[in-house]
């Protein structure tokens, strides 16, 4: 069942169809919330986002894709959480799903790669909020510029400039170290 059919059936009261959407996008929504600053509270953010999405499904524009619409709700919920906490959001990659459980063939190379990853994440964490959000959406979540604009509720031009500035800051801060 594709997203359009699942949305249509959900609007007709088919909860199993909405469960298909939840199952399809839970991991992405969780990763989005986590990377945008929810940290350990990402699961709560995702649950609230899915509840709000279900409640507002009748106002969903049927000609628009579901994924960016849902991620916009996740981004809003994450923003509300980080704002209410009154502190700057923390960013960390969830590597568990992609981590290799075998012993590395090159322990030194693995240690260097881990150190580089940690320095890059620290640098991303230090970016101004708009630049951090744009870089996270574009490169960590692999969203298009249009999807990123929808998720962040800003024009595509703002996404382009924020991404450009964020990448320039990252190159300046860690570019030579990571080369």
């Amino acid at each position: 069942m594709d997203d359009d059919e699942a949305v249509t059936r959900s609007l007709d009261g088919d909860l199993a169809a909405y469960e298909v959407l939840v199952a399809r996008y839970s991991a992405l929504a969780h990763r989005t919330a986590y990377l945008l600053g929810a940290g350990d509270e990402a699961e709560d953010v995702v649950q609230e986002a899915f509840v709000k999405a279900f409640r507002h499904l009748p106002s969903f524009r049927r000609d628009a894709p579901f994924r960016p619409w849902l991620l916009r709700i996740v981004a809003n919920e994450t923003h509300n959480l980080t704002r209410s906490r009154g502190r700057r959001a923390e960013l960390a990659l969830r590597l568990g799903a992609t981590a290799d459980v075998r012993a590395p063939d090159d322990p030194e190379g693995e240690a260097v790669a881990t150190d580089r990853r940690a320095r890059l994440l620290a640098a991303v964490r230090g970016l101004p909020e708009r630049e951090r959000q744009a870089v996270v959406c574009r490169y960590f979540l692999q969203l298009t510029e249009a999807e990123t604009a929808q998720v962040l509720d800003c024009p595509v031009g703002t996404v382009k400039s924020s991404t450009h500035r964020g990448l320039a800051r990252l190159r300046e801060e860690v570019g030579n170290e990571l080369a």
Side-chain angles (χ1 to χ4, degrees):
M1 166 180 347
D2 68 5
D3 288 356
D4 289 336
E5 182 181 351
V7 168
T8 299
R9 289 175 54 181
S10 296
L11 287 168
D12 290 338
D14 183 352
L15 292 180
Y18 193 69
E19 288 174 12
V20 168
L21 293 170
V22 171
R24 184 173 295 151
Y25 293 112
S26 284
L28 178 61
H30 190 274
R31 191 168 56 239
T32 300
Y34 195 87
L35 290 171
L36 290 179
D40 293 337
E41 296 173 272
E43 188 63 36
D44 295 335
V45 167
V46 170
Q47 286 179 358
E48 184 63 26
F50 275 114
V51 168
K52 283 190 176 181
F54 184 76
R55 262 191 266 138
H56 293 94
L57 206 52
S59 65
F60 171 65
R61 261 188 28 238
R62 300 303 302 281
D63 60 335
F66 180 78
R67 182 177 84 149
W69 180 75
L70 173 66
L71 294 181
R72 177 71 207 137
I73 295 169
V74 172
N76 282 339
E77 287 302 306
T78 303
H79 178 72
N80 291 343
L81 171 73
T82 57
R83 187 180 56 210
S84 70
R85 284 195 276 205
R87 57 185 162 89
R88 204 172 165 118
E90 287 295 318
L91 173 66
L93 269 181
R94 300 202 73 178
L95 297 175
T98 60
D100 190 353
V101 294
R102 295 175 291 131
D105 293 337
D106 178 16
E108 182 182 349
E110 188 68 24
V112 169
T114 300
D115 181 58
R116 286 179 177 171
R117 195 170 29 251
R119 284 187 281 152
L120 177 61
L121 288 174
V124 170
R125 220 179 284 118
L127 291 174
E129 184 176 7
R130 183 61 89 180
E131 293 172 17
R132 178 177 43 83
Q133 289 175 337
V135 168
V136 164
C137 286
R138 293 285 291 127
Y139 295 100
F140 289 83
L141 300 175
Q142 299 179 342
L143 299 178
T144 66
E145 287 175 342
E147 290 171 331
T148 299
Q150 186 174 357
V151 167
L152 299 179
D153 195 26
C154 64
V156 172
T158 301
V159 168
K160 288 180 180 182
S161 62
S162 295
T163 303
H164 178 77
R165 283 192 308 273
L167 291 176
R169 286 181 203 260
L170 290 175
R171 273 192 292 280
E172 184 179 302
E173 187 166 331
V174 295
N176 294 333
E177 296 175 29
L178 297 178

